[in-house]
Amino acid sequence: MRNQPLRIAWCISLFSWVVSPAVAQSPVAVTSPDGLLNVTITTEGGRPSYTVQYREITFVEASPLGLKTSIGDFTSALQPVGHHTTPLRETYTLTKAKVSRVDYEANELVYQLINPAQDTLHLVFRVSNHDVAFAYRLTTKARVTNVLVEEEATGFDLPAGTTTFLTPQAPPMTGWEKTKPSYEEEYTYDEPVGTPSKYGVGYTFPALFKVGDHGWVLISETGVDSRYVGSRLGEGTREGFYPLRFPQPGENNGIGGTSAAMAMPAHTPWRTLTVGETLQPIVETTVAFDVVTPRYEATRSYEMGRATWSWIVWQDNSINYDDQVKFIDLAADLRFEYVLIDNWWDRNIGRDRMEALVAYAASKNVGVLLWYNSNGYWNDAPQTPQDCMNTALARKKEMAWLQRIGVKGLKVDFFGGDKQPTLQLYEDILADANAYGLTITFHGCTLPRGWERMYPNFVTAEAVLASENLIFQQRASDLHAYHATILPFTRNTVAAMDFAPVFFNKRLTRDQQGGSIRRTTDAFEMATAVLYSSPVQHFGITPNNLDEQPDYVLDFLREVPTVWDETVFVEGYPGQHCVMARRKGMRWYVVAVNGEKRAKQLTVSLPMLAGREVQLLYDEKGRTAGFATKKVGSNGRFKLSLLPEGGAVIVAP
């Protein structure tokens, strides 16, 4: 299997067991391989806590650890009994992410504490050069086969003066047709810690914090599957403390509890912190994948790529046979791999004609992706097909038909919760789809937490205030450039993000006579094809764009990759601008986007392109995209001129 990780070695284990109570109370530290990132664990009064320092600067102050469970309280009255440290090294590959090869090196500390019943809580910390991942493991003295994790004591205490870039969690059963929470809220901007969230129920992952002038911390989690719940940050205090919280009781129409039921011995998902003096480690982190492993093998080789998508601009009325033929032909003209056919296809096209449509697409070398409603009874979203994905019998019957007619993948929508039964549904859909050779994209959904590596047929997920909002409201279009320069530092750092980029229509409707007015330049829109990382990109282009755009714009779309071998952060700041470089094979794509309503002149450092001739797609005065051939200076410096809400693309062939 091509993406199976190559496990080089769990290198020499350095065991330093501590058994004396007096010694056990002393702080225990684990340091990154380069010696700059340090985690210290302390147990005082029977309560464990940790601190995180980088270059001897505290980025996370003493913060609590522990679990409250059905078999005992592992948050207090704990006695340290031992610890050991092990260096870890692993090389693994990814076929659908922002990098293709990762050389992971970390030091692992396992710190053991017992409660009065002599049951053991193992604190597992892995520290690499910029990342900390930690999890809990539970073992018992007596024979116990299961445990209910009711809550965690886990918290994150940020220093005074820290500011935030966070998305608020939404209350359950709110929003359109009671489909929230779905990770689709706006970000705070340099807001002081402790500022109450918009809805008073905390924040979703990932969470970005600016620690004064010292640097940045990104907090998230990974490895969440059917054995646990998805977590969030609770409300912060003015002193900067954010507790970890489990799902809200009302999520998914009240289905299921808010705790996690696990078999023993139990191992929780990983909480992750990425720390850096600059934003480079935040953008380039792979910690979401470093500490997880594949859950099953792929039944076939899954192809990533680009897709046309009629619904995003032409909306519901385009879900008919003739319009879908137009978007299949558009995909074929642009050499795209896929067409996505959205909601109501079962009603407006029908299953018999869908078979013919899939066959027509295949004749054009275009694969078909079909939309489904996840729903059983957890919200009021009426779109069909419905009740095809929510039970095993219905799902397998539907997927067998999809496989028979040649459909390549599914987009499943409207989940609205992080409880364990909902996480089980995500995993069941993925596992069953793999049995039938189908890829899965999720919308109206939770944040994917390491799923690109865990599930070979998982492709991408929304979990962001995505491009559909550009269509729905002018305000979203007015703020699009601003938001686009926040997402590369937050949501898109930890997982694939199906924002659905690249719009060329000046008004985002079919006839361009009404609807939202696009504020961004054409070069900005082209840049988002690279700026946003998603192994399948669903583009906002429409058939008329073939006649309206010059060949060099269309050729860019025909060639732009969606998976990458390397990602490099160049410069930027959330809400202001972002310059990023990505490499596929020998070809580099460098993109810049301006999040502000004023022109900018940037001189960027591109050492990988020093002295090379490159193609530049830039902002013309009329806000169309111009084309020029330029040479990067021998020192790697390159000048860019960006219009307000403008952008640029550099391609080094």
Side-chain angles (χ1 to χ4, degrees), residues 361-441:
S363 74
K364 296 281 189 172
N365 202 30
V366 174
V368 172
L369 310 173
L370 288 183
W371 185 96
Y372 281 84
N373 192 333
S374 73
N375 217 351
Y377 53 86
W378 36 87
N379 56 59
D380 293 334
Q383 285 88 340
T384 62
Q386 194 174 121
D387 297 316
C388 298
M389 293 292 129
N390 57 307
T391 64
L393 292 176
R395 191 164 53 241
K396 291 176 180 179
K397 179 181 178 182
E398 187 74 5
M399 288 178 177
W401 173 72
L402 293 167
Q403 182 186 52
R404 179 177 64 79
I405 69 171
V407 169
K408 301 301 181 184
L410 311 181
K411 171 185 169 184
V412 188
D413 210 338
F414 302 134
F415 288 86
D418 283 317
K419 294 179 180 177
Q420 194 168 8
T422 314
L423 270 296
Q424 180 75 61
L425 179 61
Y426 284 114
E427 189 169 84
D428 288 347
I429 291 172
L430 285 162
D432 285 346
N434 183 57
Y436 293 95
L438 299 167
T439 63
I440 295 294
T441 289

Side-chain angles (χ1 to χ4, degrees), residues 87-146:
L88 308 177
R89 296 198 69 172
E90 181 187 9
T91 295
Y92 65 91
T93 58
L94 297 167
T95 59
K96 46 189 170 72
K98 59 184 177 182
V99 296
S100 61
R101 174 189 169 98
V102 178
D103 295 314
Y104 178 61
E105 184 176 1
N107 290 319
E108 180 183 81
L109 169 68
V110 180
Y111 184 90
Q112 298 162 316
L113 306 101
I114 57 171
N115 68 3
Q118 301 296 298
D119 297 328
T120 306
L121 176 69
H122 309 255
L123 307 178
V124 185
F125 277 80
R126 293 183 181 177
V127 183
S128 57
N129 286 348
H130 282 284
D131 298 305
V132 176
F134 66 92
Y136 303 100
R137 191 164 68 243
L138 281 176
T139 56
T140 55
K141 184 177 180 181
R143 180 179 176 274
V144 175
T145 61
N146 62 83

Side-chain angles (χ1 to χ4, degrees), residues 521-543:
T521 68
D522 288 359
F524 177 105
E525 291 296 324
M526 295 167 68
T528 60
V530 177
L531 182 75
Y532 298 145
S533 176
S534 179
V536 169
Q537 293 276 31
H538 301 97
F539 283 87
I541 56 178
T542 51

Side-chain angles (χ1 to χ4, degrees), residues 151-169:
E151 61 179 284
E152 294 190 20
T154 308
F156 309 89
D157 196 353
L158 286 305
T162 297
T163 56
T164 72
F165 298 81
L166 308 173
T167 44
Q169 175 70 296

Side-chain angles (χ1 to χ4, degrees), residues 176-177 311 315-321 324 341-351 354 370-373 380-386 414:
W176 184 80
E177 299 292 355
W311 180 88
Q315 294 285 286
D316 285 351
N317 289 337
S318 70
I319 309 302
N320 61 73
Y321 191 96
Q324 293 312 306
I341 303 176
D342 216 279
N343 57 195
W344 305 117
W345 61 262
D346 57 327
R347 184 188 69 178
N348 296 349
I349 297 174
R351 291 176 179 269
M354 181 55 71
L370 288 183
W371 185 96
Y372 281 84
N373 192 333
D380 293 334
Q383 285 88 340
T384 62
Q386 194 174 121
F414 302 134

